[in-house]
Amino acid sequence: MFIYRPTDVPSTHKSASISWAGKQTDTVVNKSLSFQNVPPQDLKEPPKLKYLRENGEHILGSTDRGCSKVILNANFIPSNDADWMFETLLNEIQWKQQKNLKYGPDYKEPRLTEWFSNHPYHYSGVEQAFNPHWHPLLTALCDRINQEYRLHFNAVLANCYRDGHDSVDWHTDSEPALGNCPPIASLSFGDTRNFDLREIPATVANGDFTYSQQFRIPLSHGTLLLMLGATQHDWQHRVPKEYHDRKPRINLTFRTMHPSR
């Protein structure tokens, strides 16, 4: 008959005495456990938000689609001219609050808009009807941008942000009607609002932008921002809500429509 005795414990184990309900008892401690192969924690940190404030050309990045860049011109419209232009646009454009079907049949966009073009425009659940009746000021601004930057804009989406609660969520302006790698010009009047850009990761199926590069550009009164190259394909942009006092702001986004595409 086999009888267990303490002397039968292998030499790789050590007998330890512990207390259980006031009594001493023996237990076996396995010394063969090792934690040397536990993988180290992932120490990768999300990139810090970078600010772009200096006038000039800024390269955001490059992919197989090409280079993504922006041109910032904070002095495109002098302050005195920007003042009367802002008042004119605010009072003379027929602003509307559009329904955005992307978020439901009754969802209204948190800003006011008006579309000017000989062609309709469909984007992110919104349908803008064609409107060839350009305000003369919009025509003059479009002509100046086209001339100075050798572009061919023929449409403009005007946006009015009434206060800091008005906003536009992350998106790209990459609809087929805008063509391949479309240029977009953003001209701002009124109160300063932040404009954010974030890089679209190579695989975005799970919507994880944790490690994407991000830039923030404060757009002030009279500032022109051009988004060029592959920016509309490789980067998203937004105007976030700001939970403190903000006065009205008007933003004109000029673009080129290719209705046959």
Side-chain angles (χ1 to χ4, degrees):
M1 176 184 295
F2 175 79
I3 301 176
Y4 172 80
R5 296 183 178 86
T7 54
D8 295 319
V9 178
S11 59
T12 57
H13 294 69
K14 181 179 180 180
S15 178
S17 178
I18 62 175
S19 175
W20 180 261
K23 298 181 179 180
Q24 294 295 116
T25 183
D26 290 335
T27 185
V28 176
V29 179
N30 190 340
K31 296 179 64 177
S32 64
L33 295 177
S34 174
F35 297 94
Q36 296 179 355
N37 296 325
V38 175
Q41 293 183 351
D42 185 1
L43 300 179
K44 184 178 180 180
E45 294 183 358
K48 294 183 179 180
L49 179 67
K50 300 177 182 178
Y51 277 82
L52 294 182
R53 293 189 175 94
E54 296 183 1
N55 284 345
E57 182 178 299
H58 302 270
I59 304 299
L60 303 178
S62 183
T63 66
D64 56 357
R65 289 183 181 271
C67 180
S68 297
K69 64 180 179 180
V70 298
I71 296 176
L72 182 63
N73 185 350
N75 311 114
F76 185 73
I77 303 293
S79 180
N80 289 341
D81 287 333
D83 289 343
W84 70 261
M85 290 181 180
F86 171 74
E87 293 297 332
T88 299
L89 296 172
L90 184 65
N91 294 316
E92 297 184 11
I93 287 181
Q94 301 298 312
W95 299 103
K96 303 179 183 69
Q97 188 170 21
Q98 294 283 351
K99 288 185 177 181
N100 192 317
L101 301 179
K102 179 180 178 180
Y103 301 102
D106 298 321
Y107 180 84
K108 293 183 178 180
E109 291 187 312
R111 67 189 184 283
L112 307 179
T113 62
E114 182 60 292
W115 172 247
F116 298 89
S117 174
N118 290 330
H119 311 284
Y121 188 34
H122 306 276
Y123 61 93
S124 300
V126 176
E127 296 185 9
Q128 296 276 9
F130 79 97
N131 176 16
H133 307 294
W134 284 59
H135 190 286
L137 177 55
L138 295 178
T139 301
L141 291 171
C142 186
D143 289 344
R144 179 184 168 187
I145 295 172
N146 282 338
Q147 181 179 359
E148 291 194 19
Y149 292 95
R150 298 181 180 181
L151 295 166
H152 306 282
F153 294 130
N154 61 7
V156 57
L157 178 64
N159 302 272
C160 179
Y161 299 84
R162 294 160 293 184
D163 54 33
H165 297 283
D166 275 0
S167 64
V168 60
D169 204 359
W170 290 112
H171 69 285
T172 62
D173 295 325
S174 57
E175 291 76 22
L178 298 178
N180 184 42
C181 292
I184 303 291
S186 172
L187 181 57
S188 297
F189 298 97
D191 207 353
T192 300
R193 290 292 296 268
N194 289 320
F195 182 84
D196 294 343
L197 290 147
R198 68 177 180 182
E199 189 175 17
I200 299 175
T203 55
V204 72
N206 61 353
D208 186 4
F209 285 81
T210 303
Y211 299 107
S212 295
Q213 295 288 332
Q214 291 196 36
F215 293 91
R216 172 162 289 177
I217 308 174
L219 296 180
S220 57
H221 196 40
T223 295
L224 178 69
L225 176 70
L226 288 171
M227 293 180 281
L228 304 172
T231 304
Q232 297 307 317
H233 292 293
D234 293 334
W235 294 75
Q236 291 183 336
H237 57 272
R238 70 169 181 174
V239 176
K241 295 182 184 297
E242 298 187 29
Y243 296 96
H244 52 274
D245 290 340
R246 285 296 186 192
K247 296 179 181 179
R249 176 224 184 200
I250 290 175
N251 175 247
L252 308 176
T253 53
F254 296 90
R255 54 200 75 200
T256 304
M257 293 292 291
H258 302 274
S260 61
R261 300 188 182 188

